[in-house]
Amino acid sequence: MDSLSKLGDDDDHDHYHDLLWPSISKHFVSIFLDLVRLSFLATLLALETHFLLHKWAPVFHYLFFSCFVAFFTLKRFVSGPDQVYLVDFSCLKPPSSCKVPFTSFLEHASMINIFDRESIDFMAKILASSGQSEETYLPPQLHYIPPKTDFQDSIKEVHMVLFPVLDDLLEKTNVHARDIDILIVNCSGFCPSPSLSSIIVNRYSMRSDVKSFNISGMGCSASALGVDMAKSLLKVHKDSYAVVLSTEILSTGWYSGRERPKLLLNCLFRMGSAAILLTNKPKAKNASKYKLVHSLRTQRAFEDKAYCSAVREEDADGKLGVVFKRDLLQVAGETLRSNMTLLGSRVLPFTEKFWHGLSVFRKRFIHKSCEIYVPNFKTVVQHFCLPTSGRPVIREIAKGLKLGEVDMEAALMTLYRFGNQSSSSLWYELAYMEAKQRVKKGDKVWQLGMGSGPKCISLILECVRPILGESEKGPWASCIQEYPVAIDEVVVT
Protein backbone atom coordinates (compact mmCIF):
# COMPACT_ATOMS: atom_id res chain seq x y z
CA MET A 1 0.00 0.00 0.00
CA ASP A 2 2.99 2.32 0.14
CA SER A 3 2.40 3.11 -3.51
CA LEU A 4 -0.80 4.89 -2.62
CA SER A 5 0.91 7.44 -0.42
CA LYS A 6 4.28 7.70 -2.21
CA LEU A 7 2.95 9.42 -5.28
CA GLY A 8 5.91 9.47 -7.64
CA ASP A 9 8.29 6.54 -7.38
CA ASP A 10 11.38 6.46 -9.59
CA ASP A 11 10.05 3.62 -11.73
CA ASP A 12 7.09 5.72 -12.83
CA HIS A 13 8.89 8.92 -13.95
CA ASP A 14 8.69 8.20 -17.66
CA HIS A 15 5.07 7.14 -17.44
CA TYR A 16 4.35 10.16 -15.25
CA HIS A 17 5.66 12.57 -17.89
CA ASP A 18 3.90 10.68 -20.69
CA LEU A 19 0.63 11.33 -18.86
CA LEU A 20 1.30 14.85 -17.62
CA TRP A 21 2.64 16.68 -20.67
CA PRO A 22 -0.21 15.86 -23.10
CA SER A 23 -2.68 17.20 -20.57
CA ILE A 24 -0.64 20.35 -19.99
CA SER A 25 -0.32 20.92 -23.74
CA LYS A 26 -4.10 20.68 -24.14
CA HIS A 27 -4.47 23.22 -21.33
CA PHE A 28 -2.16 25.69 -23.08
CA VAL A 29 -3.93 25.15 -26.42
CA SER A 30 -7.21 26.03 -24.73
CA ILE A 31 -5.69 29.21 -23.27
CA PHE A 32 -4.24 30.11 -26.69
CA LEU A 33 -7.64 29.74 -28.40
CA ASP A 34 -9.24 31.93 -25.75
CA LEU A 35 -6.59 34.61 -26.37
CA VAL A 36 -7.16 34.38 -30.13
CA ARG A 37 -10.91 34.90 -29.69
CA LEU A 38 -10.31 37.81 -27.32
CA SER A 39 -7.82 39.39 -29.72
CA PHE A 40 -10.28 39.02 -32.60
CA LEU A 41 -13.01 40.76 -30.62
CA ALA A 42 -10.65 43.55 -29.57
CA THR A 43 -9.63 44.04 -33.22
CA LEU A 44 -13.26 44.35 -34.31
CA LEU A 45 -13.96 46.93 -31.62
CA ALA A 46 -10.85 48.91 -32.60
CA LEU A 47 -11.93 48.90 -36.26
CA GLU A 48 -15.42 50.14 -35.39
CA THR A 49 -13.93 52.93 -33.28
CA HIS A 50 -11.72 53.86 -36.22
CA PHE A 51 -14.75 53.90 -38.57
CA LEU A 52 -16.68 56.18 -36.23
CA LEU A 53 -13.82 58.62 -35.69
CA HIS A 54 -13.14 59.00 -39.40
CA LYS A 55 -16.83 58.98 -40.35
CA TRP A 56 -16.45 56.20 -42.88
CA ALA A 57 -19.35 55.09 -45.07
CA PRO A 58 -22.20 53.02 -43.47
CA VAL A 59 -21.14 49.96 -45.46
CA PHE A 60 -18.17 49.57 -43.13
CA HIS A 61 -20.48 49.59 -40.09
CA TYR A 62 -22.51 46.83 -41.72
CA LEU A 63 -19.28 44.93 -42.29
CA PHE A 64 -18.37 45.27 -38.64
CA PHE A 65 -21.83 44.19 -37.55
CA SER A 66 -21.64 41.10 -39.78
CA CYS A 67 -18.24 40.14 -38.36
CA PHE A 68 -19.53 40.67 -34.83
CA VAL A 69 -22.52 38.36 -35.43
CA ALA A 70 -20.29 35.80 -37.14
CA PHE A 71 -17.89 35.85 -34.20
CA PHE A 72 -20.53 35.01 -31.61
CA THR A 73 -22.23 32.49 -33.89
CA LEU A 74 -18.91 30.76 -34.42
CA LYS A 75 -18.19 30.89 -30.71
CA ARG A 76 -21.49 29.11 -30.06
CA PHE A 77 -20.50 26.22 -32.33
CA VAL A 78 -16.81 25.91 -31.38
CA SER A 79 -17.36 26.33 -27.65
CA GLY A 80 -17.78 23.35 -25.40
CA PRO A 81 -20.84 21.10 -25.54
CA ASP A 82 -23.98 21.70 -23.54
CA GLN A 83 -23.55 21.28 -19.80
CA VAL A 84 -24.43 17.85 -18.43
CA TYR A 85 -26.57 17.94 -15.27
CA LEU A 86 -27.16 15.19 -12.73
CA VAL A 87 -30.85 15.65 -12.01
CA ASP A 88 -31.07 13.14 -9.14
CA PHE A 89 -30.17 9.61 -8.15
CA SER A 90 -31.66 6.74 -6.13
CA CYS A 91 -30.13 3.95 -4.07
CA LEU A 92 -31.73 0.63 -3.17
CA LYS A 93 -32.65 -0.03 0.45
CA PRO A 94 -32.98 -3.85 0.53
CA PRO A 95 -35.72 -5.40 2.70
CA SER A 96 -34.76 -6.30 6.26
CA SER A 97 -35.35 -9.98 5.44
CA CYS A 98 -32.16 -9.87 3.38
CA LYS A 99 -29.91 -8.88 6.29
CA VAL A 100 -27.09 -11.30 6.94
CA PRO A 101 -25.49 -11.17 10.42
CA PHE A 102 -22.07 -12.77 10.68
CA THR A 103 -23.36 -15.68 12.77
CA SER A 104 -26.07 -16.49 10.24
CA PHE A 105 -23.63 -16.26 7.34
CA LEU A 106 -21.14 -18.59 9.00
CA GLU A 107 -23.82 -20.99 10.20
CA HIS A 108 -25.24 -21.31 6.70
CA ALA A 109 -21.75 -21.70 5.23
CA SER A 110 -20.95 -24.50 7.70
CA MET A 111 -24.09 -26.35 6.57
CA ILE A 112 -22.88 -26.32 2.96
CA ASN A 113 -20.84 -29.50 2.52
CA ILE A 114 -18.31 -27.92 0.19
CA PHE A 115 -16.73 -25.72 2.90
CA ASP A 116 -14.35 -27.31 5.41
CA ARG A 117 -13.49 -25.96 8.87
CA GLU A 118 -10.45 -24.06 7.57
CA SER A 119 -12.63 -22.28 4.99
CA ILE A 120 -15.19 -21.32 7.65
CA ASP A 121 -12.50 -20.00 10.00
CA PHE A 122 -10.93 -18.01 7.19
CA MET A 123 -14.24 -16.39 6.23
CA ALA A 124 -14.90 -15.59 9.91
CA LYS A 125 -11.60 -13.69 10.10
CA ILE A 126 -12.34 -11.83 6.88
CA LEU A 127 -15.78 -10.76 8.14
CA ALA A 128 -14.34 -9.60 11.48
CA SER A 129 -11.77 -7.39 9.75
CA SER A 130 -13.93 -6.28 6.83
CA GLY A 131 -15.17 -3.05 8.41
CA GLN A 132 -18.81 -3.97 7.76
CA SER A 133 -21.54 -4.35 10.35
CA GLU A 134 -24.09 -7.07 11.08
CA GLU A 135 -26.73 -5.26 9.01
CA THR A 136 -25.47 -5.70 5.47
CA TYR A 137 -27.58 -7.54 2.88
CA LEU A 138 -27.38 -10.55 0.60
CA PRO A 139 -30.04 -11.42 -1.99
CA PRO A 140 -32.62 -14.10 -1.05
CA GLN A 141 -30.97 -16.57 -3.43
CA LEU A 142 -27.89 -16.70 -1.16
CA HIS A 143 -29.95 -17.33 1.98
CA TYR A 144 -30.83 -20.84 0.80
CA ILE A 145 -28.79 -23.91 1.74
CA PRO A 146 -27.12 -24.47 -0.64
CA PRO A 147 -27.38 -21.07 -2.36
CA LYS A 148 -29.44 -20.84 -5.54
CA THR A 149 -27.08 -19.68 -8.25
CA ASP A 150 -28.72 -20.85 -11.48
CA PHE A 151 -29.70 -18.53 -14.32
CA GLN A 152 -33.35 -17.98 -13.39
CA ASP A 153 -32.48 -17.12 -9.79
CA SER A 154 -29.98 -14.53 -11.02
CA ILE A 155 -32.71 -13.04 -13.23
CA LYS A 156 -34.97 -12.78 -10.16
CA GLU A 157 -32.19 -10.92 -8.38
CA VAL A 158 -31.93 -8.53 -11.35
CA HIS A 159 -35.62 -7.71 -11.01
CA MET A 160 -35.26 -7.22 -7.26
CA VAL A 161 -32.36 -4.77 -7.41
CA LEU A 162 -33.05 -2.79 -10.61
CA PHE A 163 -36.82 -2.32 -10.85
CA PRO A 164 -37.40 -0.65 -7.42
CA VAL A 165 -34.47 1.76 -7.75
CA LEU A 166 -35.52 2.89 -11.24
CA ASP A 167 -39.15 3.23 -10.11
CA ASP A 168 -38.01 5.50 -7.29
CA LEU A 169 -35.84 7.62 -9.59
CA LEU A 170 -38.61 8.15 -12.14
CA GLU A 171 -41.13 9.02 -9.44
CA LYS A 172 -39.06 11.65 -7.67
CA THR A 173 -37.82 13.29 -10.88
CA ASN A 174 -41.28 13.20 -12.51
CA VAL A 175 -39.76 11.69 -15.65
CA HIS A 176 -41.61 8.99 -17.58
CA ALA A 177 -39.76 5.92 -18.82
CA ARG A 178 -40.63 6.85 -22.40
CA ASP A 179 -38.84 10.19 -21.93
CA ILE A 180 -35.51 8.38 -21.55
CA ASP A 181 -33.29 8.71 -24.61
CA ILE A 182 -30.17 6.86 -23.38
CA LEU A 183 -30.02 3.83 -21.08
CA ILE A 184 -26.77 2.40 -19.68
CA VAL A 185 -26.81 -0.65 -17.40
CA ASN A 186 -23.69 -2.01 -15.74
CA CYS A 187 -23.09 -5.31 -13.97
CA SER A 188 -19.67 -6.92 -13.96
CA GLY A 189 -20.30 -10.62 -13.44
CA PHE A 190 -23.73 -11.33 -14.97
CA CYS A 191 -24.28 -10.81 -18.68
CA PRO A 192 -27.48 -12.60 -19.79
CA SER A 193 -29.09 -12.70 -23.21
CA PRO A 194 -31.30 -10.74 -23.73
CA SER A 195 -29.12 -8.20 -21.99
CA LEU A 196 -29.86 -6.37 -18.74
CA SER A 197 -30.58 -3.20 -20.70
CA SER A 198 -33.10 -5.12 -22.82
CA ILE A 199 -34.77 -6.39 -19.65
CA ILE A 200 -35.23 -2.77 -18.53
CA VAL A 201 -36.49 -1.63 -21.96
CA ASN A 202 -39.03 -4.46 -21.96
CA ARG A 203 -40.18 -3.93 -18.38
CA TYR A 204 -40.79 -0.19 -18.83
CA SER A 205 -41.98 -0.26 -22.47
CA MET A 206 -39.40 2.29 -23.51
CA ARG A 207 -39.33 3.89 -26.94
CA SER A 208 -38.10 1.95 -29.95
CA ASP A 209 -35.35 4.49 -30.55
CA VAL A 210 -33.92 4.45 -27.01
CA LYS A 211 -30.15 4.04 -27.18
CA SER A 212 -29.42 1.19 -24.77
CA PHE A 213 -26.01 -0.11 -23.68
CA ASN A 214 -24.92 -2.97 -21.45
CA ILE A 215 -21.55 -2.80 -19.64
CA SER A 216 -19.97 -5.90 -18.06
CA GLY A 217 -16.62 -6.86 -16.57
CA MET A 218 -15.73 -3.31 -15.45
CA GLY A 219 -15.66 -3.97 -11.70
CA CYS A 220 -16.21 -1.37 -8.99
CA SER A 221 -15.56 1.56 -11.34
CA ALA A 222 -18.50 0.77 -13.61
CA SER A 223 -21.07 3.31 -12.37
CA ALA A 224 -18.63 6.21 -12.68
CA LEU A 225 -17.65 4.82 -16.09
CA GLY A 226 -21.34 4.73 -17.03
CA VAL A 227 -21.73 8.40 -16.13
CA ASP A 228 -18.66 9.25 -18.21
CA MET A 229 -20.14 7.28 -21.11
CA ALA A 230 -23.48 9.07 -20.72
CA LYS A 231 -21.65 12.40 -20.82
CA SER A 232 -20.00 11.46 -24.13
CA LEU A 233 -23.34 10.40 -25.60
CA LEU A 234 -25.03 13.59 -24.44
CA LYS A 235 -22.43 15.59 -26.36
CA VAL A 236 -23.91 14.10 -29.53
CA HIS A 237 -27.59 13.75 -28.65
CA LYS A 238 -28.98 17.15 -27.70
CA ASP A 239 -31.95 17.79 -25.41
CA SER A 240 -31.87 14.24 -24.02
CA TYR A 241 -32.27 12.25 -20.80
CA ALA A 242 -29.77 9.51 -19.88
CA VAL A 243 -30.22 6.92 -17.13
CA VAL A 244 -27.35 4.91 -15.66
CA LEU A 245 -28.27 1.77 -13.69
CA SER A 246 -25.53 0.22 -11.58
CA THR A 247 -25.52 -3.05 -9.65
CA GLU A 248 -23.74 -6.35 -9.06
CA ILE A 249 -25.60 -9.68 -9.19
CA LEU A 250 -24.15 -11.65 -6.30
CA SER A 251 -25.84 -15.00 -6.83
CA THR A 252 -23.94 -15.61 -10.05
CA GLY A 253 -20.66 -14.59 -8.39
CA TRP A 254 -20.91 -16.92 -5.38
CA TYR A 255 -17.83 -19.14 -5.03
CA SER A 256 -18.44 -22.67 -3.79
CA GLY A 257 -14.85 -23.87 -3.54
CA ARG A 258 -12.09 -23.94 -0.95
CA GLU A 259 -9.35 -21.73 -2.37
CA ARG A 260 -8.89 -18.92 0.14
CA PRO A 261 -8.27 -16.01 -2.26
CA LYS A 262 -11.54 -16.77 -4.04
CA LEU A 263 -13.50 -16.91 -0.76
CA LEU A 264 -12.93 -13.18 -0.25
CA LEU A 265 -15.68 -12.27 -2.69
CA ASN A 266 -18.29 -14.23 -0.66
CA CYS A 267 -17.43 -12.22 2.44
CA LEU A 268 -16.85 -8.70 1.15
CA PHE A 269 -19.45 -7.94 -1.51
CA ARG A 270 -23.01 -7.09 -0.54
CA MET A 271 -26.34 -6.24 -2.15
CA GLY A 272 -27.00 -2.78 -3.60
CA SER A 273 -27.91 -0.80 -6.70
CA ALA A 274 -28.19 2.78 -7.89
CA ALA A 275 -30.00 4.71 -10.63
CA ILE A 276 -28.73 8.08 -11.91
CA LEU A 277 -30.56 10.52 -14.19
CA LEU A 278 -28.46 12.86 -16.33
CA THR A 279 -29.49 15.40 -18.95
CA ASN A 280 -28.22 18.18 -21.18
CA LYS A 281 -31.61 19.96 -21.29
CA PRO A 282 -31.01 23.64 -20.41
CA LYS A 283 -34.35 23.81 -18.56
CA ALA A 284 -33.10 21.12 -16.12
CA LYS A 285 -30.51 23.43 -14.58
CA ASN A 286 -32.75 24.71 -11.77
CA ALA A 287 -34.20 21.29 -10.93
CA SER A 288 -30.92 19.34 -10.97
CA LYS A 289 -28.74 18.64 -7.96
CA TYR A 290 -25.35 18.71 -9.67
CA LYS A 291 -23.55 19.51 -12.88
CA LEU A 292 -20.76 17.31 -14.16
CA VAL A 293 -17.64 19.47 -14.17
CA HIS A 294 -14.95 16.90 -15.05
CA SER A 295 -14.68 13.21 -15.86
CA LEU A 296 -11.42 11.38 -16.38
CA ARG A 297 -10.58 7.74 -17.11
CA THR A 298 -7.18 6.05 -16.89
CA GLN A 299 -6.15 2.39 -16.92
CA ARG A 300 -3.11 0.12 -16.76
CA ALA A 301 -4.35 -2.97 -18.59
CA PHE A 302 -1.40 -2.51 -20.96
CA GLU A 303 0.83 -3.95 -18.19
CA ASP A 304 0.70 -7.71 -17.69
CA LYS A 305 1.17 -7.48 -13.92
CA ALA A 306 -1.66 -4.99 -13.58
CA TYR A 307 -3.89 -6.87 -16.01
CA CYS A 308 -3.62 -10.10 -13.99
CA SER A 309 -3.95 -8.52 -10.53
CA ALA A 310 -7.67 -9.39 -10.25
CA VAL A 311 -9.14 -12.07 -12.47
CA ARG A 312 -12.04 -14.49 -12.56
CA GLU A 313 -10.80 -18.02 -13.12
CA GLU A 314 -11.50 -21.66 -12.37
CA ASP A 315 -10.00 -23.45 -9.39
CA ALA A 316 -8.60 -26.99 -9.47
CA ASP A 317 -12.15 -28.38 -9.36
CA GLY A 318 -13.37 -26.21 -12.23
CA LYS A 319 -15.36 -23.79 -10.02
CA LEU A 320 -15.30 -20.15 -10.99
CA GLY A 321 -14.16 -17.49 -8.56
CA VAL A 322 -12.46 -14.11 -8.48
CA VAL A 323 -8.91 -14.09 -7.19
CA PHE A 324 -7.03 -11.00 -5.99
CA LYS A 325 -3.27 -11.29 -6.46
CA ARG A 326 -0.75 -10.10 -3.87
CA ASP A 327 0.40 -7.15 -5.97
CA LEU A 328 -3.17 -5.80 -6.35
CA LEU A 329 -2.64 -3.01 -3.81
CA GLN A 330 0.55 -1.84 -5.48
CA VAL A 331 -1.21 -1.85 -8.86
CA ALA A 332 -4.13 0.08 -7.37
CA GLY A 333 -1.72 2.72 -6.06
CA GLU A 334 -0.06 3.14 -9.45
CA THR A 335 -3.42 3.36 -11.20
CA LEU A 336 -4.66 5.97 -8.74
CA ARG A 337 -1.48 8.01 -9.04
CA SER A 338 -1.72 8.26 -12.83
CA ASN A 339 -5.36 9.36 -12.56
CA MET A 340 -4.52 11.97 -9.90
CA THR A 341 -1.72 13.34 -12.08
CA LEU A 342 -4.02 14.04 -15.00
CA LEU A 343 -6.91 15.25 -12.87
CA GLY A 344 -4.65 17.57 -10.91
CA SER A 345 -3.38 19.19 -14.12
CA ARG A 346 -6.99 20.07 -14.95
CA VAL A 347 -8.52 21.17 -11.67
CA LEU A 348 -5.80 22.26 -9.25
CA PRO A 349 -4.83 25.94 -8.81
CA PHE A 350 -1.55 27.13 -10.24
CA THR A 351 0.25 27.17 -6.88
CA GLU A 352 -0.45 23.50 -6.18
CA LYS A 353 0.65 22.49 -9.69
CA PHE A 354 3.79 24.63 -9.36
CA TRP A 355 4.95 23.05 -6.09
CA HIS A 356 4.16 19.57 -7.36
CA GLY A 357 6.00 20.14 -10.64
CA LEU A 358 8.96 21.66 -8.80
CA SER A 359 9.24 18.63 -6.51
CA VAL A 360 9.13 16.28 -9.53
CA PHE A 361 11.91 18.29 -11.22
CA ARG A 362 13.98 18.25 -8.05
CA LYS A 363 13.59 14.51 -7.55
CA ARG A 364 14.45 13.75 -11.15
CA PHE A 365 17.42 16.04 -11.70
CA ILE A 366 18.77 17.21 -8.30
CA HIS A 367 18.02 14.97 -5.31
CA LYS A 368 16.48 11.59 -6.09
CA SER A 369 15.85 10.79 -2.44
CA CYS A 370 13.53 13.77 -1.84
CA GLU A 371 9.78 13.23 -1.64
CA ILE A 372 7.25 14.28 -4.26
CA TYR A 373 4.93 17.04 -3.07
CA VAL A 374 1.36 15.70 -2.95
CA PRO A 375 -1.06 18.40 -4.16
CA ASN A 376 -3.86 19.39 -1.82
CA PHE A 377 -7.07 18.54 -3.67
CA LYS A 378 -9.08 20.04 -0.81
CA THR A 379 -8.31 23.44 -2.29
CA VAL A 380 -10.85 22.71 -5.04
CA VAL A 381 -12.93 19.76 -3.75
CA GLN A 382 -14.97 19.76 -0.55
CA HIS A 383 -16.33 16.18 -0.47
CA PHE A 384 -14.85 12.80 -1.38
CA CYS A 385 -16.51 9.51 -2.37
CA LEU A 386 -13.76 6.87 -2.11
CA PRO A 387 -13.75 3.20 -3.17
CA THR A 388 -15.24 0.98 -0.43
CA SER A 389 -12.84 -1.86 -1.20
CA GLY A 390 -11.96 -2.25 2.48
CA ARG A 391 -11.06 -0.24 5.52
CA PRO A 392 -7.26 -0.33 4.94
CA VAL A 393 -7.73 0.75 1.30
CA ILE A 394 -9.97 3.68 2.29
CA ARG A 395 -7.47 4.88 4.89
CA GLU A 396 -4.49 4.49 2.57
CA ILE A 397 -6.17 6.43 -0.24
CA ALA A 398 -7.14 9.13 2.27
CA LYS A 399 -3.53 9.27 3.46
CA GLY A 400 -2.27 9.64 -0.09
CA LEU A 401 -4.73 12.50 -0.71
CA LYS A 402 -4.02 14.12 2.67
CA LEU A 403 -7.63 13.70 3.82
CA GLY A 404 -8.93 13.74 7.37
CA GLU A 405 -11.43 11.59 9.26
CA VAL A 406 -14.41 13.66 8.14
CA ASP A 407 -13.34 13.35 4.49
CA MET A 408 -13.37 9.53 4.58
CA GLU A 409 -16.38 9.26 6.89
CA ALA A 410 -18.88 8.65 4.08
CA ALA A 411 -16.81 5.78 2.67
CA LEU A 412 -16.20 4.14 6.06
CA MET A 413 -19.86 4.43 7.11
CA THR A 414 -21.11 3.11 3.77
CA LEU A 415 -18.79 0.13 4.09
CA TYR A 416 -19.94 -0.40 7.68
CA ARG A 417 -23.69 -0.11 7.05
CA PHE A 418 -24.05 -1.63 3.57
CA GLY A 419 -20.75 -3.39 2.84
CA ASN A 420 -18.89 -3.19 -0.45
CA GLN A 421 -21.65 -2.84 -3.06
CA SER A 422 -19.21 -2.72 -5.94
CA SER A 423 -19.88 0.16 -8.36
CA SER A 424 -23.04 1.47 -6.66
CA SER A 425 -21.22 2.26 -3.38
CA LEU A 426 -20.21 5.72 -4.62
CA TRP A 427 -23.87 6.76 -4.70
CA TYR A 428 -24.56 5.48 -1.17
CA GLU A 429 -21.66 7.67 -0.04
CA LEU A 430 -23.11 10.71 -1.79
CA ALA A 431 -26.51 9.89 -0.27
CA TYR A 432 -24.83 9.80 3.16
CA MET A 433 -23.38 13.29 2.67
CA GLU A 434 -26.75 14.62 1.52
CA ALA A 435 -28.55 13.02 4.46
CA LYS A 436 -26.04 14.73 6.77
CA GLN A 437 -26.79 18.02 4.93
CA ARG A 438 -23.10 18.57 4.25
CA VAL A 439 -23.30 19.30 0.52
CA LYS A 440 -23.94 23.00 -0.06
CA LYS A 441 -24.59 24.94 -3.23
CA GLY A 442 -21.28 25.52 -5.00
CA ASP A 443 -19.51 22.59 -3.29
CA LYS A 444 -17.61 20.10 -5.44
CA VAL A 445 -17.71 16.32 -4.94
CA TRP A 446 -15.00 13.96 -6.18
CA GLN A 447 -16.25 10.45 -6.91
CA LEU A 448 -13.32 8.07 -7.33
CA GLY A 449 -14.07 4.69 -8.88
CA MET A 450 -11.44 1.95 -9.12
CA GLY A 451 -12.10 -1.37 -10.80
CA SER A 452 -10.57 -4.49 -12.27
CA GLY A 453 -8.67 -4.14 -15.48
CA PRO A 454 -7.34 -2.18 -13.67
CA LYS A 455 -8.90 1.21 -14.26
CA CYS A 456 -9.64 4.43 -12.39
CA ILE A 457 -12.43 6.90 -13.11
CA SER A 458 -12.83 10.33 -11.51
CA LEU A 459 -16.01 12.39 -11.59
CA ILE A 460 -16.13 15.96 -10.29
CA LEU A 461 -19.67 17.12 -9.53
CA GLU A 462 -20.64 20.66 -8.55
CA CYS A 463 -23.76 21.21 -6.46
CA VAL A 464 -26.02 23.72 -8.23
CA ARG A 465 -28.87 24.11 -5.72
CA PRO A 466 -29.53 23.67 -2.00
CA ILE A 467 -30.11 20.01 -1.09
CA LEU A 468 -32.60 19.65 1.74
CA GLY A 469 -34.77 16.91 3.22
CA GLU A 470 -32.61 13.97 2.13
CA SER A 471 -32.33 12.71 5.72
CA GLU A 472 -35.97 11.66 5.49
CA LYS A 473 -35.63 9.53 2.34
CA GLY A 474 -33.16 7.30 0.59
CA PRO A 475 -31.12 4.40 1.99
CA TRP A 476 -30.07 6.28 5.15
CA ALA A 477 -33.52 7.59 6.10
CA SER A 478 -34.17 5.37 9.12
CA CYS A 479 -30.65 5.38 10.57
CA ILE A 480 -28.67 8.48 9.58
CA GLN A 481 -28.90 9.91 13.09
CA GLU A 482 -26.92 6.91 14.38
CA TYR A 483 -23.84 7.75 12.29
CA PRO A 484 -20.92 8.10 12.38
CA VAL A 485 -20.05 5.20 14.64
CA ALA A 486 -16.66 4.25 16.01
CA ILE A 487 -15.08 1.34 14.17
CA ASP A 488 -12.47 -0.79 15.92
CA GLU A 489 -9.52 -1.76 13.82
CA VAL A 490 -9.15 -5.53 13.55
CA VAL A 491 -6.13 -7.17 12.00
CA VAL A 492 -6.35 -10.61 10.41
CA THR A 493 -3.43 -12.90 11.20
Side-chain angles (χ1 to χ4, degrees), residues 16-34:
Y16 172 89
H17 288 288
D18 289 343
L19 289 170
L20 181 61
W21 294 118
S23 180
I24 292 178
S25 64
K26 289 181 181 179
H27 180 67
F28 280 113
V29 167
S30 177
I31 294 176
F32 173 75
L33 291 176
D34 287 339

Side-chain angles (χ1 to χ4, degrees), residues 303-437:
E303 293 180 351
D304 290 343
K305 182 181 73 171
Y307 175 76
C308 297
S309 60
V311 295
R312 192 180 187 190
E313 60 186 15
E314 293 181 343
D315 63 12
D317 298 321
K319 295 179 179 179
L320 277 174
V322 176
V323 59
F324 302 107
K325 302 297 178 64
R326 291 185 177 274
D327 52 8
L328 174 63
L329 298 182
Q330 178 187 354
V331 168
E334 294 167 353
T335 307
L336 173 60
R337 182 166 59 251
S338 63
N339 190 274
M340 287 174 54
T341 299
L342 283 175
L343 184 67
S345 69
R346 296 184 183 184
V347 304
L348 287 172
F350 173 78
T351 53
E352 291 295 317
K353 289 189 281 189
F354 173 79
W355 290 116
H356 179 64
L358 184 63
S359 68
V360 171
F361 178 85
R362 181 183 177 189
K363 184 178 182 66
R364 180 159 186 159
F365 298 106
I366 301 177
H367 200 326
K368 292 189 177 182
S369 62
C370 69
E371 292 186 0
I372 297 294
Y373 172 76
V374 180
N376 182 11
F377 279 87
K378 294 175 71 173
T379 57
V380 290
V381 177
Q382 290 74 43
H383 310 284
F384 300 83
C385 298
L386 307 177
T388 56
S389 304
R391 194 166 46 197
V393 174
I394 294 172
R395 293 195 177 279
E396 199 65 32
I397 292 176
K399 178 182 176 183
L401 293 173
K402 300 197 291 189
L403 305 181
E405 289 292 327
V406 174
D407 300 314
M408 57 178 152
E409 181 183 311
L412 289 171
M413 294 305 104
T414 296
L415 177 64
Y416 180 80
R417 175 62 183 84
F418 294 100
N420 183 354
Q421 299 160 299
S422 189
S423 58
S424 61
S425 292
L426 294 176
W427 305 98
Y428 286 78
E429 294 180 50
L430 186 55
Y432 178 89
M433 298 174 188
E434 291 185 352
K436 285 288 186 181
Q437 298 186 9

Side-chain angles (χ1 to χ4, degrees), residues 85-92 161-177 179-180 182-184 200 204 206 241-246 273-279 287 289 427 434 465 470 473-474:
Y85 295 98
L86 194 158
V87 181
D88 211 335
F89 65 96
S90 294
C91 298
L92 178 72
V161 297
L162 291 185
F163 293 169
V165 75
L166 183 53
D167 287 340
D168 182 64
L169 179 68
L170 296 177
E171 179 182 359
K172 67 183 184 180
T173 57
N174 197 28
V175 173
H176 193 275
D179 296 330
I180 297 171
I182 300 167
L183 173 66
I184 301 171
I200 298 299
Y204 291 89
M206 292 183 175
Y241 280 121
V243 166
V244 177
L245 286 173
S246 179
S273 63
I276 305 100
L277 178 65
L278 302 121
T279 186
K289 284 184 174 180
W427 305 98
E434 291 185 352
R465 67 169 173 84
E470 294 297 330
K473 51 188 176 182

Side-chain angles (χ1 to χ4, degrees), residues 215-321:
I215 303 174
S216 62
M218 291 294 186
C220 299
S221 64
S223 70
L225 184 148
V227 171
D228 178 70
M229 181 178 178
K231 172 192 171 185
S232 298
L233 290 167
L234 288 170
K235 288 181 180 179
V236 179
H237 303 285
K238 305 297 183 181
D239 200 37
S240 299
Y241 280 121
V243 166
V244 177
L245 286 173
S246 179
T247 192
E248 193 58 59
I249 302 304
L250 301 181
S251 55
T252 192
W254 177 263
Y255 174 64
S256 57
R258 297 183 181 181
E259 290 188 5
R260 288 192 177 187
K262 295 182 175 65
L263 289 171
L264 288 171
L265 204 68
N266 294 353
C267 303
L268 298 180
F269 283 83
R270 290 297 181 260
M271 187 179 181
S273 63
I276 305 100
L277 178 65
L278 302 121
T279 186
N280 54 9
K281 295 176 180 285
K283 67 179 182 180
K285 178 179 180 180
N286 295 329
S288 300
K289 284 184 174 180
Y290 304 92
K291 67 178 178 180
L292 183 56
V293 181
H294 293 284
S295 64
L296 175 67
R297 297 171 55 185
T298 56
Q299 62 174 307
R300 298 182 72 86
F302 52 85
E303 293 180 351
D304 290 343
K305 182 181 73 171
Y307 175 76
C308 297
S309 60
V311 295
R312 192 180 187 190
E313 60 186 15
E314 293 181 343
D315 63 12
D317 298 321
K319 295 179 179 179
L320 277 174

Side-chain angles (χ1 to χ4, degrees), residues 145-162:
I145 303 172
K148 294 185 175 183
T149 59
D150 58 29
F151 180 81
Q152 288 303 322
D153 286 299
S154 295
I155 291 294
K156 290 178 182 178
E157 185 182 345
V158 169
H159 295 177
M160 184 177 186
V161 297
L162 291 185

Side-chain angles (χ1 to χ4, degrees), residues 37-81:
R37 286 192 289 264
L38 182 62
S39 300
F40 181 69
L41 181 60
T43 301
L44 289 178
L45 291 174
L47 286 173
E48 174 62 9
T49 303
H50 181 75
F51 296 157
L52 290 173
L53 291 176
H54 292 80
K55 298 180 180 181
W56 284 33
V59 66
F60 293 102
H61 297 285
Y62 292 135
L63 177 63
F64 166 78
F65 180 75
S66 299
C67 293
F68 192 78
V69 171
F71 170 78
F72 281 100
T73 302
L74 182 63
K75 185 177 185 297
R76 170 74 177 116
F77 285 103
V78 301
S79 60

